Amino acid sequence: MSDGLITSAELLDFLGADEDAQSEIEEELQSALEQLERATGVDWAKRKDVHTANQAIKDMVYLSFYAVRDGSQNTEFVERHLTSIIKQLQYATEENNDAETQVEPAETDPPG
């Protein structure tokens, strides 16, 4: 896998899908990125620390590609996993934002 966001080719391999599904996978990838940005407030395409985001994207695309079209799939585990990952990403984003907004105390000259 590349260092950045997962690609549609990597998703095709992950899903075991044929090349004819490439355009559908690209659409699902874009949709997953938009959903993830709405859920976390982060544009993951501009981030380098995307490992956990890639896990969420894989879950979202899996659910869209397989589970939604085939009602016999048991999606409970994947849905719980996805929810957990999004919560992790939201928490990490909040922690990062809190760290960036904390103001360092101003240095003062010692009396004298």
Side-chain angles (χ1 to χ4, degrees):
M1 185 184 304
S2 64
D3 289 337
L5 282 174
I6 193 165
T7 65
S8 58
E10 291 167 331
L11 284 168
L12 272 174
D13 185 51
F14 168 73
L15 296 168
D18 294 331
E19 290 291 320
D20 4 329
Q22 179 77 33
S23 63
E24 182 180 355
I25 297 300
E26 287 172 2
E27 290 173 13
E28 296 294 345
L29 174 57
Q30 288 306 312
S31 176
L33 281 168
E34 290 168 8
Q35 289 176 18
L36 197 55
E37 185 174 351
R38 280 193 306 272
T40 63
V42 174
D43 182 356
W44 292 98
K46 296 180 180 177
R47 299 286 295 260
K48 292 184 181 183
D49 54 336
V50 295
H51 176 73
T52 306
N54 280 339
Q55 289 179 321
I57 291 166
K58 286 166 62 174
D59 284 354
M60 287 181 203
V61 172
Y62 174 85
L63 287 169
S64 295
F65 191 74
Y66 282 122
V68 171
R69 67 173 74 179
D70 180 5
S72 68
Q73 295 285 333
N74 182 355
T75 62
E76 187 177 331
F77 171 78
V78 177
E79 290 169 352
R80 282 195 325 258
H81 186 251
L82 176 58
T83 300
S84 172
I85 291 171
I86 289 176
K87 294 245 183 251
Q88 289 174 28
L89 291 169
Q90 289 170 335
Y91 179 75
T93 301
E94 289 170 6
E95 287 289 305
N96 203 13
N97 288 342
D98 289 345
E100 290 174 2
T101 58
Q102 289 181 357
V103 178
E104 294 292 322
E107 288 188 32
T108 57
D109 292 328

